[in-house]
Amino acid sequence: MGRIGIRAVTSHAGRFVMSVLAVALGVAFVTGTFALRHMLSSTFDEIVNAAATADAYVRTADGNPTDLTSTGAVGGGVPLSSLDAIRKVDGVRQANPDIQGPVTLVGADGAAVRSTQAPSFASPWFSNNTSYTHIEGRGPANASEVMLERHTLESSGLHIGDRTHLVVLGRATEVTVVGEADFSAPMAGATIVILDEATMRADFAPTGNVGSISVYAQPGVSQSDLVQRLKATAPAGSQVVTGDQLRQETRDTIAKQLGFISTFLLVFALLALFVGGFIIANTFTMAIRQRMREFALLRAVGASPTQVFGSIVVQAAVVGLAGSLIGVAGGFGLVEGIGALLRKMDMTLSSSVPLTWSTVVIGLLVGTVVSVAAAALPARRAAVVPPVEAMRDEVTVHERSLHRRAWVGAALIALGAAAVITAVVRPGADSAGMLLGVGAAGVIVGVLVVGPVVVPAVVRWLAVPAVAWWRPVGRLARGNVVRNPRRAASTAGALTIGMALVGASAVLAASTDASVRDIASTMLHADYVLQTQYPDTIAPEVVANVRALPGVGQVYALPAVEAKVTDASTTRTLSLDGLDPKIFDSVMTVETMTGPVAQVISDGGAVVDTKAAEANGWHIGDQLTVTTAGGEKRLTIGAMFHSSGLDIGVVVGQPVLDALVAPAQQTDSQVMVVAAPGADVAALRAPLTDVVKPYYVISVMDSKQFVNGIAGQVNQMLTILYALLGLSIVIAVLGIVNTLALSVIERTREIGLLRAVGLGRLQMAGTITTESVLIAVCGTVVGLVTGVALASALPRLFHDQGLQHLAIPAASLVGMLVLAVVVGVAAAVWPAIRAARLPVLDAVSQE
Amino acid sequence: MTTTAELDTARAAATPSHAIASARGLTKVYGTGEAQVHALRGIDVDLARGELTAIMGPSGSGKSTLMHCLAGLDRPTSGTVLVDGLEVSSMSERRLTKLRRTRIGFIFQAFNLVPTLTAAENITLPLDIARRPVDKALYDEVVDAVSLRDRLSHKPAELSGGQQQRVACARALVARPSVIFADEPTGNLDSHASGEVLGFLRRSVDVLGQSVVMVTHDPRAASFAHRVLFLADGELVAELVSPTQSSVLATLAQLDGFAAKEK
C-alpha cells in the first residue's frame, strides 16, 4: 500500500508542487526563526566572553549585570577606594574598576558614528587588560586622546593620527585617535571608544563608586578560590561572584530577551505554516476526489479502510518531508543571507550560522506533521468509500449538509463577539485584555468555519458586475466558484486569516498615529524641541546658551536620572525627573491633577504619576526614599498628575535633583523652547541650529517635525508587521494558484465541452481569471472587515496607554482591495494559460 | 445493401453542392514507426444536406476519428475536409472556434452540459458565447419538442440522463447550425430515452431541415437515419439507404464475413 501511495505522488508530481512549496515556505520561516535566534545567541555569547574576561567580580549587592548604556552605578556601588585592598589580596594578579558610559564618536564625515540598535560607549584603558588581542599604536594617556575598537575605526573612516570630536555627557571635546584595539569577538556593530582611566573616572564615576571591579587570578588560583579570598576584603554592601557566574547571568538575561523576540517571530512562522496547511488540505481533497474510483477499486479487492487511509497519509508525509527538506535548507540559507547583509551594514554577527540538529529535526517534524494532519480529513473520506463505487462511471461524493457548520460557526462568532463587547464595555477590568484576545480568536475561527456559507453569498454579490458585463464568462466564473462552497471557502479562508491581521494592524497603526499626533500637539505646546537620541544628553550649557538667544522666551529642560525608589514595602528602579514648575502653565497640558503640583515641586516635595500611584498603592502624604549614586533623600508625595504626553517616574524640582546627582551626570534628551511673545518663530531656527551644531548629537525640530518623528516610529513598526504577515499572504496566494490549477485538471472535460461549443481561448482564460479575482477579493473583504471590526475595540481598552483615537485608514483599505484584484489576476495567469491551451479533442474524448 | 462497386457510382452521382460536409483523401495516422496506427485510410465521403446520416463500425474502425476530422476537432494527416463550403482541415484555431459557435453543433455521448448552468442557460450557451440573439420562436418550438418546459430552471445534476441528452439536443438545435455532429448520443441511455432522443433528432431533420451526422454502434439508432455509412479498418466499406434495424444487422454480419474471408 505504501508503494501505491508513493507511486501516486511521483506519477502526479506536478499536482503537489504548490503544496511542497507552501510547506517549504512555512518551514523556512520556522527554521529561520530558530537559526536566527541561535546565531544571535552565539554572537552575544562571544561578546560576553570577550568583554567579561575576569576570574571574579566584586559588585553591588543586588547584582544587576552591567548595562552598557547606563551612566555609572544606580544606587550605591562599589567604592573605588577598595581597589588597593583588593589588589593586595594573595592570589590576585590584577584588579580593574569596570567603568563605562555612553559616548558618541564623530566620524571622518563629520557625522556621528552610529549603527542602528547597537550601543555606542566608552571603556577605560588598562595596559594589562587581556580583552584586547591585538593593538596598534598606543593607549590613550589623557582626555584628548582616544583608542578605537577595530570595527569602530573602520566604520568611522578615521585613521590613527586623525583628529575628531567625541561627545561625552552632552559636550563635544576635540580628540586624537592614537590607537586601535581588536577584541577577540565581532562586536555586532557596537561603537567602542577607549579612554584613559582618569577621564573615565571623572566622567562616569564622579562619586567614587563603580558598578563592579574585575579581578584576575594568579596562575594556579581557581575562580572559587579567588572568590573566597576576596570575600574578606570586599567592602560592605558588595558581593563577590566568580567570573563564570557573572558571564552565565549575563548570558541568561540576553537569552530571555532573545526568547521574547524569537517567540514573537515564531508566532508569525506558525501562522504561515497554518495557512500552508489549508493548501495541503485542498490539494488532497481534490486529488482524492479525482481518484475515488481507484480507491473504490482497492477496497473492492480487499484493502481495509486503514490501509487506504495509510496509503494517502504516506503521500502526505512524502509531500511534507520534501517540503520540509527544502524549507530547512531555505531557512538556514535565509539566515546566512541576513548575516551577510548585516556584515555589509557594519554589524558583524557571529561568523557561522550554527547548524544544530535540533533545529533541523524541528523543521522536518513540523512540516511533515502539518502535512499529514491537513490530509487526514480528506483521507478519511477516501478510506470509507463503499467498494461498489468502483463499478460506477461517475463516483458521487456525498457532501454532508452545511447546516451544522453554519450553526457552529455562527455560535463561535456570537460568543467571540460577546467576549469582545464585554471587554469593550468594561475596559478597566483585569480580564479585559484576555477577553479581547480570546474573543477575537473565536470570531476569526468562527468566520473560517462558517466560510462555506458566507463565501458563496459574498461571491455572488461581488460577481454582479462581471455577470452583467461579460457574458457568459461572468456567469461561468461565478458558477465555478460557488459550486463547491467548501473548496472556495478554504481557498479564500487562507487569505482571510492574513488579511484580518493586516487590517487590524492598519487600524492599530492609524489609530496610534492619530492618538500620538493628538497627544503631542495638544499636550505639548512648544515652538521648538531640541532632541537627542537616547542615551545621548543635552548638556546644561546648551540650555543656558539657548536661553540667552534673543527671541527665545522660555526654555524647559527635562533632565532625569535612574534611581532606586523605596516606599513602605518595595524598592523599584524608577526615573527621577526634574521639572520646572512653570512648565505646567505654558508648555504642558495635563489631563488630571490632584493637589498643588507646581507648589509641591517648588517646595521640594515629590509628585508622582496618578496611574502609577494607583498601581503601586501610593497616596498623598506617603514617604519615598530615593537613592542614587550620589546620595539618598527622603521625600513626601505632595501631589499627583497624569499626562499621556509625558512618561514620568518621580518628579522633583531641579534643586532636589541636583542635590542627588550632579547636573553633568543627568540625562536630558529633550528640551522645549517657547519663543518670546511677538518674536518671529520661523526665524528662531537658524540661531538654534547654530547653538547646537558643536554638540553633534542634538537636532532642532519644530512642533510639526516633532510630531512627525514620533509618528514615523509607529510606521516603522507597521512595516515590520506587514513584512512578517507578508509570508502568510504569499502562501495564501499560492493557495489560489493551486486551487485553480487543480480545478482546471479536474474540469478538463467541461473545458473541452465549452471549447467545443465555441468558447474562445481568451474567454476561457477570462473565466479562470475572473474566478481567481472573485476568490481573492472575497477573502480580502471578509478578512479586512473582520480585522478592522476587531481592532476597533482596541482604543477602548488601551485608552490610558495613549491609544485614544480610532482611525480607520480608508485609503489603505481600498488600496488593499485593489491589490487583491491585481493579485487575483496574477495568480490566474498560469492556470488560465493551461486551460486555454487544452486541446479540445483530448478534453472531449477523455475517458 | 450496396457493394463497393455500386458505392463508386453513387459517389459520382451525389454532387458536392448537395453535401453539407465532404472529405477527399482523408487520412489520419497516429504515432510513428512500429507503433503507427492508420485510423483513416484515404476516405472520400459526402454527407448530404437535410439528412440524418449515421456512421457505423466496430471499435477501432475509425468512425469517431472520421467525425472528429469532419467536425474540425482534429487535423487530418492528409486530405481535405469541407463543411458548408469552408475548408475546415486547414483552418486556424481561432476560425474554428468561431465556426463552433455558429456553424457546427455538437452532441456528445456523455458530459454534454455545464454543471453550473441551468438547463435554459445550457441551451442558449453557444448563442451567449457568440453574443447572438436567441430566436424566441425557435427556442419555444425546440423546448416544447423536447418536452423540457417544466425543467428549464434545473441544473444538470437534477435531470435524468435522458433529459440531459434532450437538453444537449435542444442546445445543438437552437443555434441553427449548418450541421450537427452527434457522437453516440444514445450510448448511455435506456431504450425508452434512446427512442425519444433519436426520434427527436429525426424530426428535427424532417421538420426543421437540420443536417445531422451521427456516429453510433447501435443498429437501432442507425435505423433512424436516412443513410448509413459503414467503416472498417479506416476505410468506407459499405452504404445503406433507408435502413431498417434488420437491414443494418444484415450488413454488419456480411461485413464480419468479409473481414473473416480477407483474413
Side-chain angles (χ1 to χ4, degrees):
Chain A
M1 290 301 293
R3 207 172 351 137
I4 293 180
I6 295 177
R7 290 255 182 88
V9 172
T10 49
S11 65
H12 295 296
R15 289 187 199 176
F16 296 104
V17 164
M18 286 294 160
S19 305
V20 167
L21 190 59
V23 172
L25 286 173
V27 170
F29 199 164
V30 169
T31 310
T33 304
F34 281 111
L36 185 69
R37 183 190 172 163
H38 285 311
M39 183 164 83
L40 287 175
S41 158
S42 77
T43 301
F44 288 121
D45 282 354
E46 284 176 37
I47 291 177
V48 167
N49 289 340
T53 51
D55 298 308
Y57 289 88
V58 179
R59 64 180 185 190
T60 348
D62 52 35
N64 289 318
T66 42
D67 176 2
L68 296 171
T69 58
S70 69
T71 47
V74 173
V78 180
L80 282 166
S81 51
S82 59
L83 255 182
D84 287 330
I86 291 176
R87 285 197 174 120
K88 291 203 180 80
V89 169
D90 182 32
V92 170
R93 179 160 55 88
Q94 74 199 44
N96 293 322
D98 298 325
I99 317 171
Q100 56 206 354
V103 295
T104 301
L105 177 70
V106 178
D109 55 358
V113 175
R114 177 158 271 141
S115 279
T116 46
Q117 314 304 332
S120 171
F121 61 93
S123 199
W125 164 248
F126 298 115
S127 50
N128 55 19
N129 194 318
T130 47
S131 301
Y132 320 133
T133 53
H134 178 71
I135 299 192
E136 295 244 354
R138 58 178 175 81
N142 55 53
S144 60
E145 294 182 352
V146 297
M147 187 180 205
L148 297 178
E149 184 262 339
R150 184 163 68 89
H151 293 101
T152 306
L153 188 63
E154 272 176 35
S155 49
S156 68
L158 297 165
H159 301 91
I160 297 181
D162 284 352
R163 294 171 78 89
T164 184
H165 285 91
L166 189 72
V167 182
V168 180
L169 298 177
R171 287 186 330 280
T173 47
E174 215 177 270
V175 294
T176 313
V177 180
V178 298
E180 171 190 329
D182 203 349
F183 284 86
S184 48
M187 299 309 267
T191 308
I192 307 177
V193 176
I194 301 168
L195 296 172
D196 72 293
E197 192 182 336
T199 314
M200 289 293 293
R201 288 198 191 195
D203 286 335
F204 299 116
T207 56
N209 292 327
V210 293
S212 63
I213 293 178
S214 298
V215 185
Y216 296 85
Q218 300 270 17
V221 178
S222 73
Q223 288 186 15
S224 39
D225 210 359
L226 186 64
V227 166
Q228 290 294 46
R229 300 184 195 196
L230 283 169
K231 277 209 166 106
T233 37
S238 68
Q239 183 193 52
V240 187
V241 296
T242 61
D244 287 340
Q245 185 183 341
L246 183 103
R247 285 186 279 275
Q248 189 58 46
E249 283 175 10
T250 314
R251 279 196 287 266
D252 289 344
T253 312
I254 293 175
K256 210 155 67 152
Q257 288 176 336
L258 284 181
F260 287 135
I261 297 176
S262 80
T263 307
F264 181 67
L265 289 176
L266 209 59
V267 165
F268 288 96
L270 289 175
L271 182 72
L273 213 52
F274 178 63
V275 171
F278 271 76
I279 296 186
I280 296 174
N282 254 355
T283 305
F284 274 89
T285 307
M286 287 197 268
I288 283 166
R289 229 172 111 125
Q290 277 208 287
R291 293 173 51 214
M292 269 307 203
R293 273 183 76 184
E294 187 183 322
F295 294 124
L297 176 67
L298 285 171
R299 294 271 289 124
V301 299
S304 72
T306 318
Q307 285 176 309
V308 172
F309 183 79
S311 87
I312 299 174
V313 162
V314 162
Q315 282 179 52
V318 168
V319 166
L321 205 59
S324 301
L325 280 169
I326 300 175
V328 165
F332 278 112
L334 185 70
V335 172
E336 275 280 2
I338 292 179
L341 195 70
L342 287 176
R343 265 193 286 280
K344 279 209 149 56
M345 285 166 40
D346 293 329
M347 284 179 73
T348 332
L349 298 184
S350 165
S351 48
S352 62
V353 179
L355 190 85
T356 47
W357 280 116
S358 63
T359 308
V360 170
V361 166
I362 290 178
L364 291 177
L365 211 64
V366 163
T368 313
V369 164
V370 166
S371 303
V372 168
L377 203 59
R380 193 182 161 275
R381 266 184 243 132
V384 299
V385 68
V388 72
E389 297 288 331
M391 319 302 169
R392 298 209 208 286
D393 239 347
E394 288 270 335
V395 174
T396 47
V397 179
H398 299 283
E399 294 277 323
R400 283 200 317 273
S401 153
L402 285 172
H403 278 145
R404 210 168 49 148
R405 253 182 99 144
W407 282 117
V408 170
L412 272 172
I413 294 179
L415 285 172
V420 168
I421 291 175
T422 313
V424 164
V425 159
R426 296 189 319 161
D430 284 334
S431 53
M434 202 183 65
L435 267 181
L436 180 64
V438 168
V443 168
I444 292 185
V445 171
V447 165
L448 289 176
V449 167
V450 91
V453 172
V454 162
V455 165
V458 173
V459 165
R460 267 186 243 272
W461 180 73
L462 286 172
V464 162
V467 170
W469 299 332
W470 203 357
R471 303 167 56 170
V473 166
R475 200 167 345 122
L476 285 172
R478 180 188 67 186
N480 285 333
V481 174
V482 160
R483 86 214 271 180
N484 197 327
R486 279 189 179 79
R487 183 192 308 172
S490 183
T491 312
L495 196 56
T496 299
I497 300 173
M499 291 314 278
L501 290 172
V502 166
S505 304
V507 167
L508 185 61
S511 302
T512 309
D513 186 285
S515 304
V516 156
R517 279 176 197 274
D518 188 52
I519 291 172
S521 51
T522 59
M523 312 238 172
L524 292 166
H525 310 295
D527 292 314
Y528 285 99
V529 177
L530 305 180
Q531 178 108 35
T532 62
Q533 207 182 328
Y534 180 84
D536 286 319
T537 181
I538 301 175
E541 65 200 43
V542 175
V543 178
N545 290 345
V546 167
R547 276 210 180 97
L549 285 177
V552 166
Q554 296 148 311
V555 179
Y556 297 104
L558 301 168
V561 296
E562 260 203 352
K564 288 215 190 322
V565 178
T566 313
D567 62 20
S569 49
T570 19
T571 305
R572 301 178 182 83
T573 307
L574 293 175
S575 168
L576 188 66
D577 308 300
L579 276 187
D580 183 333
K582 293 202 289 298
I583 202 175
F584 296 99
D585 291 328
S586 55
V587 164
M588 186 158 62
T589 314
V590 299
E591 287 157 45
T592 57
M593 207 186 267
T594 319
V597 172
Q599 188 67 46
V600 168
I601 295 178
S602 315
D603 291 343
V607 175
V608 296
D609 182 290
T610 320
K611 304 285 172 194
E614 263 172 61
N616 298 336
W618 294 341
H619 303 92
I620 296 186
D622 283 359
Q623 297 248 310
L624 296 174
T625 308
V626 174
T627 318
T628 65
E632 193 180 279
K633 214 168 170 73
R634 213 174 171 73
L635 298 166
T636 313
I637 300 178
M640 303 181 188
F641 75 90
H642 179 72
S643 167
S644 302
L646 205 60
D647 211 358
I648 54 170
V650 175
V651 176
V652 293
Q654 193 69 43
V656 175
L657 189 65
D658 289 343
L660 280 167
V661 179
Q665 250 64 32
Q666 296 167 11
T667 309
D668 184 358
S669 53
Q670 263 176 10
V671 170
M672 312 267 155
V673 179
V674 180
D680 181 354
V681 176
L684 262 183
R685 183 185 280 276
L688 280 173
T689 315
D690 287 337
V691 167
V692 304
K693 215 155 101 132
Y695 298 90
Y696 291 98
V697 295
I698 308 175
S699 43
V700 176
M701 294 194 262
D702 61 30
S703 48
K704 205 151 65 123
Q705 286 172 312
F706 177 59
V707 169
N708 283 342
I710 300 179
Q713 290 172 356
V714 170
N715 283 330
Q716 257 188 349
M717 268 299 336
L718 185 65
T719 311
I720 293 177
L721 265 178
Y722 279 171
L724 290 172
L725 288 171
L727 187 67
S728 299
I729 306 276
V730 164
I731 295 180
V733 171
L734 283 180
I736 297 180
V737 177
N738 188 50
T739 299
L740 284 177
L742 290 176
S743 75
V744 164
I745 295 174
E746 201 183 60
R747 286 186 270 149
T748 305
R749 292 178 77 177
E750 187 180 321
I751 291 174
L753 169 72
L754 285 166
R755 295 275 285 125
V757 296
L759 195 69
R761 281 195 271 205
L762 200 62
Q763 286 172 309
M764 190 71 237
T767 310
I768 307 283
T769 308
T770 310
E771 284 178 54
S772 177
V773 169
L774 283 172
I775 294 180
V777 173
C778 176
T780 304
V781 163
V782 172
L784 286 180
V785 164
T786 312
V788 167
L790 288 173
S792 306
L794 287 170
R796 286 302 302 269
L797 262 82
F798 296 107
H799 191 274
D800 293 331
Q801 276 88 329
L803 195 69
Q804 297 175 344
H805 288 276
L806 175 64
I808 298 184
S812 299
L813 295 177
V814 168
M816 287 177 203
L817 278 177
V818 170
L819 194 64
V821 172
V822 170
V823 158
V825 171
V829 166
W830 177 57
I833 291 179
R834 283 198 62 173
R837 285 226 185 112
L838 269 179
V840 181
L841 185 62
D842 290 356
V844 151
S845 58
Q846 188 190 59
E847 280 304 297
Chain B
M1 97 149 191
T2 356
T3 61
T4 330
E6 288 161 318
L7 264 178
D8 287 335
T9 18
R11 209 174 294 134
T15 47
S17 62
H18 290 296
I20 187 67
S22 55
R24 292 284 176 271
L26 188 57
T27 310
K28 182 71 187 178
V29 179
Y30 292 110
T32 50
E34 286 263 323
Q36 244 178 10
V37 174
H38 293 263
L40 300 172
R41 301 170 195 267
I43 294 194
D44 294 327
V45 68
D46 291 307
L47 303 167
R49 203 183 282 268
E51 277 191 4
L52 173 60
T53 312
I55 301 177
M56 280 198 83
S59 32
S61 58
K63 59 186 192 297
S64 289
T65 313
L66 175 61
M67 198 197 78
H68 291 155
C69 287
L70 286 172
L73 288 174
D74 200 0
R75 220 177 272 291
T77 314
S78 67
T80 54
V81 175
L82 286 162
V83 171
D84 205 7
L86 300 165
E87 191 177 322
V88 160
S89 43
S90 59
M91 255 189 207
S92 70
E93 185 61 31
R94 210 162 43 84
R95 289 188 65 193
L96 281 171
T97 303
K98 286 232 172 67
L99 219 62
R100 290 177 202 138
R101 291 176 197 170
T102 55
R103 307 286 203 102
I104 300 179
F106 286 105
I107 304 174
F108 301 107
Q109 178 174 4
F111 211 91
N112 265 301
L113 307 179
V114 179
T116 58
L117 301 178
T118 63
E121 288 165 346
N122 264 293
I123 293 174
T124 57
L125 186 59
L127 293 168
D128 280 339
I129 292 174
R131 294 179 202 257
R132 276 170 45 195
V134 177
D135 183 348
K136 198 72 172 74
L138 178 61
Y139 178 83
D140 287 332
E141 195 180 335
V142 166
V143 166
D144 289 330
V146 293
S147 319
L148 284 174
R149 183 60 67 178
D150 55 341
R151 289 296 209 198
L152 284 177
S153 58
H154 286 131
K155 293 250 175 61
E158 297 154 2
L159 301 172
S160 72
Q163 288 167 333
Q164 286 182 19
Q165 288 302 72
R166 281 185 275 154
V167 171
C169 293
R171 177 190 70 217
L173 284 166
V174 163
R176 264 231 194 266
S178 306
V179 57
I180 294 179
F181 288 98
D183 187 354
E184 312 256 15
T186 59
N188 282 359
L189 302 177
D190 62 49
S191 57
H192 177 66
S194 290
E196 282 188 342
V197 170
L198 292 165
F200 174 66
L201 281 176
R202 178 64 190 244
R203 274 197 308 282
S204 72
V205 170
D206 293 336
V207 173
L208 298 174
Q210 187 68 57
S211 308
V212 178
V213 178
M214 177 173 67
V215 162
T216 182
H217 64 271
D218 179 12
R220 181 174 166 233
S223 67
F224 280 78
H226 288 98
R227 194 161 69 116
V228 184
L229 300 171
F230 292 87
L231 252 66
D233 294 326
E235 287 178 344
L236 211 54
V237 294
E239 188 180 313
L240 199 57
V241 175
S242 303
T244 63
Q245 204 163 352
S246 44
S247 63
V248 169
L249 281 165
T251 315
L252 282 171
Q254 221 170 356
L255 283 177
D256 274 349
F258 272 136
K261 270 198 211 158
E262 268 163 36
K263 290 205 187 82

